[in-house]
Amino acid sequence: MNKLAKIAATAASATALLALAGAPAEAAAKAYNTRSVTLTANPNEGMAWACVSRDLYLATGDYKWSQILDYARVPNRDIHIAAGWYTWTDCVIPRAGYYNQQSWLSKPGSATATLADTNELHLSGTYTFGSELAPKF
């Protein structure tokens, strides 16, 4: 092989390697922590909280964390997560005549992150509630 052919072959190989190295990794899937619950009109603070909890491993990165109430995805916040095992809890909390929704992400040895809907939710019927974590790229 002459010198010019070797240079061309080397350049083609380097271009192919750069193209592979620059290809984005496959996006991670969204994670959900949800439950369906039947809520009664006019709750009171003595009623039991409706909660759902799970443990999951999260990779280091930036996420969008959104509460779910049926098809709504508010409130939400951007959050940076350090890699590790987390306990993820979502609750609908009865108050005097309304409900609040609250979500927590806790990791041993770290501060607990909170996402709270402080609106007075006047609900009656069956709802799916919880939250969603979506990796940001």
Side-chain angles (χ1 to χ4, degrees):
M1 189 183 262
N2 68 31
K3 192 173 188 175
L4 189 55
K6 285 183 183 179
I7 291 171
T10 301
S13 295
T15 302
L17 285 174
L18 283 174
L20 287 174
E26 185 175 326
K30 293 178 183 177
Y32 297 91
N33 187 42
T34 60
R35 172 183 164 193
S36 290
V37 64
T38 300
L39 302 174
T40 183
N42 301 313
N44 64 65
E45 294 186 27
M47 295 171 66
W49 293 15
C51 297
V52 59
S53 188
R54 67 181 275 204
D55 293 326
L56 79 160
Y57 184 85
L58 293 170
T60 298
D62 294 318
Y63 293 79
K64 181 178 180 181
W65 188 17
S66 304
Q67 282 188 335
I68 296 170
L69 185 58
D70 278 344
Y71 299 103
R73 296 289 190 274
V74 290
N76 57 64
R77 67 179 268 204
D78 292 337
I79 185 170
H80 181 78
I81 302 282
W85 281 97
Y86 287 80
T87 299
W88 185 7
T89 304
D90 288 275
C91 295
V92 171
I93 304 165
R95 304 291 189 196
Y98 63 94
Y99 296 91
N100 287 136
Q101 186 176 353
Q102 190 138 355
S103 305
W104 298 272
L105 275 173
S106 58
K107 177 182 170 190
S110 298
T112 298
T114 303
L115 181 61
D117 186 349
T118 57
N119 290 313
E120 293 183 5
L121 304 171
H122 298 274
L123 305 170
S124 178
T126 301
Y127 296 87
T128 297
F129 76 95
S131 61
E132 158 188 293
L133 279 169
K136 295 182 75 175
F137 299 99

